[in-house]
Amino acid sequence: TQFNALLDRLADAYRQLESFNADVAHELNTPLSTLISSTEVVLRKPRTVEEMREVLESNLEDLRRIAAMVGDMLFLSRADRGAGTREAKVFSLAAVAADVVEFYEAVALEADLTVEVRGDAQLQFDAPLMRRALSNLLSNAIKFSNENSEVLVKMEEQGDTVVVSVKDSGCGIDEEGQQKLLHTDTHFSTFGTNNEEGSGLGLLLCQDFAVKSGGKLWFTSKKGEGSTFYFSIPLKK
């Protein structure tokens, strides 16, 4: 029985790896195809400096997207090999969240959204990874929110943990989508974050950060009413 259970876990892991590889290949293929086609077009005949500059600026956006994707993959690879978080120091959670919100301020304004940060906690955490986790959740919330609405980033102490949540007021995720979002009851897939603007690795990174910090990642969602993603970390002052 134990041996069969082990084989089942290995089979599940293999299927997840195949799915993950397919998702990443799809996401890399889109910007690479764009880079190749735009470069081929611009080389077909002489171009002005302004035209060349416009193409290079467009290509730079795709290159940055690929670089971010590769960075996410390297991070997950190190995590799979057992690498933990870096040395944690005491920070203000609200201050870190405010930095992330400021980074996305222009994007939020363009989408006609307001982003509010509520609550705070002084605790130990890996600040760069915290910023990365919040950035991924906030980026998704902005993408899927309705115009003229609010994204709420909230931090709340609950016993010996701090719960961080990012709530959007978008279209929400139906029941079928919620099931696809999870590989199992506790493992997130890349479904729901795969779109023209994202690599689909954000939730995996958030989950890894939460687990490595001693917490977990979860979500609630209702079709037509938006989604809220949460992660918890132990309160170690």
Side-chain angles (χ1 to χ4, degrees), residues 7-216:
L7 291 178
D8 288 340
R9 290 196 297 272
L10 287 173
D12 287 341
Y14 181 75
R15 283 193 294 269
Q16 291 173 15
L17 181 61
E18 280 192 321
S19 176
F20 177 79
N21 287 339
D23 288 340
V24 171
H26 173 74
E27 292 297 333
L28 284 172
N29 182 65
T30 300
L32 286 173
S33 297
T34 301
L35 285 169
I36 292 171
S37 61
S38 64
T39 303
E40 288 176 341
V41 169
V42 80
L43 290 175
R44 285 176 184 169
K45 64 179 182 180
R47 305 284 178 174
T48 65
V49 174
E50 189 60 34
E51 288 175 328
M52 294 291 288
R53 182 181 181 85
E54 183 178 344
V55 172
L56 287 174
E57 288 176 347
S58 176
N59 287 354
L60 183 59
E61 293 180 6
D62 284 319
L63 289 169
R64 284 173 174 163
R65 179 182 171 192
I66 293 173
M69 218 178 300
V70 172
D72 289 346
M73 292 168 65
L74 288 173
F75 175 82
L76 288 172
S77 176
R78 289 193 297 269
D80 287 341
R81 293 197 301 268
T85 58
R86 290 161 287 209
E87 180 182 359
K89 298 181 181 179
V90 176
F91 296 96
S92 165
L93 195 50
V96 173
D99 288 341
V100 175
V101 170
E102 183 178 3
F103 180 79
Y104 283 96
E105 183 176 7
V107 179
L109 286 174
E110 185 178 355
D112 198 17
L113 299 171
T114 58
V115 182
E116 183 178 353
V117 178
R118 294 182 190 171
D120 191 14
Q122 298 285 334
L123 72 161
Q124 290 184 350
F125 56 85
D126 184 327
L129 291 187
M130 174 65 78
R131 289 190 182 93
R132 197 165 194 166
L134 282 172
S135 178
N136 281 316
L137 294 182
L138 183 58
S139 175
N140 282 336
I142 290 174
K143 290 173 189 173
F144 297 114
S145 285
N146 297 320
E147 292 185 356
N148 195 27
S149 62
E150 179 184 78
V151 175
L152 176 62
V153 181
K154 188 176 179 181
M155 291 140 286
E156 184 179 10
E157 292 187 22
Q158 296 182 4
D160 57 354
T161 64
V162 174
V163 176
V164 181
S165 62
V166 179
K167 182 181 185 301
D168 67 63
S169 55
C171 60
I173 308 171
D174 59 25
E175 292 186 7
E176 181 182 358
Q178 292 182 39
Q179 293 300 317
K180 290 182 179 179
L181 184 59
L182 296 168
H183 280 311
T184 66
D185 289 340
T186 57
H187 291 83
F188 283 83
S189 72
T190 57
F191 176 85
T193 55
N194 281 343
N195 53 65
E196 294 180 356
E197 302 176 34
S199 67
L201 303 176
L203 292 181
L204 296 177
L205 288 169
C206 293
Q207 178 177 254
D208 188 81
F209 167 69
V211 172
K212 287 290 193 301
S213 300
K216 62 179 181 178

